[in-house]
Amino acid sequence: MTDAPSDSSFNPRLIGGVVAVGVAAFIALWALIALGPQLSGGKDGGGHALSKGAPGYAAMIDLLERAGAQVEVRRRVEPYRYQDYTQLAVLTPTHETRPGAMQEILAAQAGAPILIVLPKWQVLQTPGERKKPGWSGPGFRAAAPTRLLPADWFGETEVESEAAKSARGRAILAGRAIDIPLPDEVQTLSGPHLEALIVAPGGGAVLARTKNRDIYILADPDLIDNLAFASRDTARAGAMLLDAISEDADADGFAFDVTLNGFGSQRSLLRFAFVPPFIGITLCLIAAGLLALWQAAMRFGPALRPARAIPVSKAALIANSADLIKQAGRELDSADAYVLNQRAAIARRLHAPAGLDASAIDAWIDRRLTGHNGGFSALARRLPLARSAPEFLADAQALHDIRKDLLRDG
């Protein structure tokens, strides 16, 4: 003999765990899609503020913070100039940066001071070698494309490379002299709308400022990037240069932009769902969904077994017959049959004399009654003449009471 099948074909705890893991994974997936760029650590060895590779600027940011400067890594394109606080926006575009992206971020500054650091190095990955996180691969010099400086903002510009071995650059910014060592191969910039602040031996501008806007352009990034920390003198000179540019622009702090490097967090409804103040609504919706799942999974008491369509009992048979008569609207047509049934039952149980007709049996029953107005015979004649359900029910109940009193049953 085989065992009886279980009431449950699966393990509720196992299914609940699978559902919980699925819901958590779904929420985590959408959260990472929305916040992925913002949560990225930037360990790609590129030339941006989050990078600790050679062309990055993480070392300079750390040095500025240790010196007490207000430094922010900006992940959104929006103006950051306030009435009593101004930041110097440091833009670090790459060779692949679109001109439209530069136009957007320049327009978003709304007149706030800007320092644009042009790219100089392109990094490659060695074929067959796995790149280490945060490390830069082999690099080569590549002149910054002039499309990074839109013509309607800077006019026609030209980027060149000059030999400057053991040369030093000198600038007067904010009333103080800045002396900074130049790389052996320095990248320079020239243009009719630019004012040179630091000049290379060949005459090109290493640091320039636009004549009609408060925008600075550093042509060679090796003055402030992580490569500058190869020597104490270069690192110190780079920090002093940034401080002098900030003071000359009347800025109170630095904001290193990383949106041009692919680490921005753009505005989107999906992102808003996971950041304040809308994160509270998202958590409430998640809690409501979990409560709905819990309520749907819970059941009170044992599992309900399917009932028979027609119960097996005399009471069920009588109830079904009564429902059928009611639905057919034939309640009053059963009066004669009901009277006959009650008369026969009383005569049989009380052993009425044989050979009596219906009238004689009714009279015989009346002689045995006490306390019933009208007697059995009167009700037996009146019941078939009923014209409404309440009238029929009252007389039928009276006949039933007579039977109960005579036969002592229910």
Side-chain angles (χ1 to χ4, degrees), residues 143-274:
T146 55
R147 70 172 186 274
L148 298 179
L149 302 174
D152 53 344
W153 285 76
F154 304 95
E156 296 297 329
T157 58
E158 185 177 356
V159 178
E160 297 178 343
S161 181
E162 299 181 11
K165 188 174 184 180
S166 302
R168 302 182 73 87
R170 184 178 179 84
I172 304 297
L173 290 171
R176 55 176 170 159
I178 304 297
D179 185 62
I180 186 168
L182 299 179
D184 293 343
E185 194 76 20
V186 63
Q187 182 172 266
T188 61
L189 177 71
S190 60
H193 300 292
L194 301 178
E195 175 189 357
L197 299 179
I198 297 180
V199 182
V206 179
L207 176 66
R209 179 174 55 198
T210 57
K211 296 179 179 179
N212 56 348
R213 292 185 178 95
D214 205 8
I215 301 178
Y216 301 81
I217 305 172
L218 182 61
D220 197 310
D222 288 347
L223 274 63
I224 62 171
D225 61 11
N226 294 336
L227 282 174
F229 285 74
S231 69
R232 183 186 297 271
D233 184 30
T234 308
R236 179 175 177 275
M240 293 181 62
L241 176 64
L242 285 179
D243 182 65
I245 294 174
S246 174
E247 186 177 352
D248 185 70
D250 197 21
D252 303 297
F254 300 90
F256 283 78
D257 175 83
V258 293
T259 61
L260 297 175
N261 309 96
F263 300 102
S265 56
Q266 303 298 329
R267 294 179 179 271
S268 68
L269 293 178
L270 183 59
R271 179 182 173 273
F272 282 159
F274 294 95

Side-chain angles (χ1 to χ4, degrees), residues 113-406:
I114 301 173
L115 170 63
I116 300 176
V117 183
L118 296 179
K120 177 181 178 181
W121 299 96
Q122 281 195 322
V123 180
L124 300 176
Q125 184 173 354
T126 304
E129 291 186 5
R130 184 177 179 182
K131 186 177 180 180
K132 297 181 180 181
W135 286 49
S136 299
F140 64 93
R141 295 186 185 92
T146 55
R147 70 172 186 274
L148 298 179
L149 302 174
D152 53 344
W153 285 76
F154 304 95
E156 296 297 329
T157 58
E158 185 177 356
V159 178
E160 297 178 343
S161 181
E162 299 181 11
K165 188 174 184 180
S166 302
R168 302 182 73 87
R170 184 178 179 84
I172 304 297
L173 290 171
R176 55 176 170 159
I178 304 297
D179 185 62
I180 186 168
L182 299 179
D184 293 343
E185 194 76 20
V186 63
Q187 182 172 266
T188 61
L189 177 71
S190 60
H193 300 292
L194 301 178
E195 175 189 357
L197 299 179
I198 297 180
V199 182
V206 179
L207 176 66
R209 179 174 55 198
T210 57
K211 296 179 179 179
N212 56 348
R213 292 185 178 95
D214 205 8
I215 301 178
Y216 301 81
I217 305 172
L218 182 61
D220 197 310
D222 288 347
L223 274 63
I224 62 171
D225 61 11
N226 294 336
L227 282 174
F229 285 74
S231 69
R232 183 186 297 271
D233 184 30
T234 308
R236 179 175 177 275
M240 293 181 62
L241 176 64
L242 285 179
D243 182 65
I245 294 174
S246 174
E247 186 177 352
D248 185 70
D250 197 21
D252 303 297
F254 300 90
F256 283 78
D257 175 83
V258 293
T259 61
L260 297 175
N261 309 96
F263 300 102
S265 56
Q266 303 298 329
R267 294 179 179 271
S268 68
L269 293 178
L270 183 59
R271 179 182 173 273
F272 282 159
F274 294 95
V275 296
F278 301 104
I279 183 64
I281 299 176
T282 302
L283 293 177
C284 290
L285 291 176
I286 293 173
L290 294 177
L291 288 175
L293 288 176
W294 175 79
Q295 184 180 21
M298 294 296 293
R299 66 185 185 191
F300 302 92
L304 296 178
R305 298 180 180 275
R308 290 175 57 92
I310 301 177
V312 181
S313 67
K314 292 180 180 180
L317 180 60
I318 294 172
N320 289 337
S321 300
D323 287 340
L324 181 60
I325 294 172
K326 183 178 180 181
Q327 292 178 10
R330 305 298 294 273
E331 296 96 330
L332 301 182
D333 295 343
S334 62
D336 290 332
Y338 185 75
V339 171
L340 180 61
N341 177 273
Q342 298 295 327
R343 181 187 295 121
I346 294 173
R348 185 178 63 255
R349 293 282 299 275
L350 296 182
H351 305 288
L356 299 178
D357 58 8
S359 301
I361 293 176
D362 291 348
W364 183 82
I365 294 174
D366 286 343
R367 291 194 293 270
R368 283 160 175 75
L369 293 175
T370 58
H372 287 277
N373 296 329
F376 186 87
S377 59
L379 293 173
R381 289 191 303 271
R382 192 170 65 224
L383 186 60
L385 302 177
R387 291 296 179 264
S388 65
E391 182 181 353
F392 172 82
L393 182 60
D395 290 343
Q397 184 65 46
L399 281 180
H400 183 68
D401 293 340
I402 291 175
R403 173 177 171 170
K404 285 173 56 179
D405 289 345
L406 291 176

Side-chain angles (χ1 to χ4, degrees), residues 1-153:
M1 179 181 294
T2 59
D3 297 335
S6 173
D7 291 340
S8 178
S9 59
F10 56 85
N11 188 335
R13 293 184 178 179
L14 176 60
I15 298 301
V18 170
V19 172
V21 172
V23 171
F26 179 78
I27 296 173
L29 172 64
W30 285 103
L32 288 177
I33 292 175
L35 303 177
Q38 186 174 2
L39 297 177
S40 175
K43 296 181 179 180
D44 59 354
H48 51 83
L50 300 174
S51 173
K52 296 181 180 179
Y57 302 92
M60 183 59 67
I61 291 177
D62 182 67
L63 179 60
L64 291 174
E65 290 178 339
R66 291 173 183 269
Q70 298 292 327
V71 183
E72 176 187 353
V73 176
R74 183 183 299 178
R75 294 179 181 265
R76 286 185 291 180
V77 178
E78 59 184 32
Y80 273 78
R81 186 168 188 173
Y82 307 98
Q83 184 176 1
D84 56 349
Y85 182 76
T86 303
Q87 288 178 316
L88 174 65
V90 182
L91 310 184
T92 56
T94 66
H95 289 83
E96 292 77 24
T97 300
R98 298 178 294 103
M102 289 295 296
Q103 292 270 14
E104 179 184 3
I105 197 168
L106 289 172
Q109 293 306 307
I114 301 173
L115 170 63
I116 300 176
V117 183
L118 296 179
K120 177 181 178 181
W121 299 96
Q122 281 195 322
V123 180
L124 300 176
Q125 184 173 354
T126 304
E129 291 186 5
R130 184 177 179 182
K131 186 177 180 180
K132 297 181 180 181
W135 286 49
S136 299
F140 64 93
R141 295 186 185 92
T146 55
R147 70 172 186 274
L148 298 179
L149 302 174
D152 53 344
W153 285 76

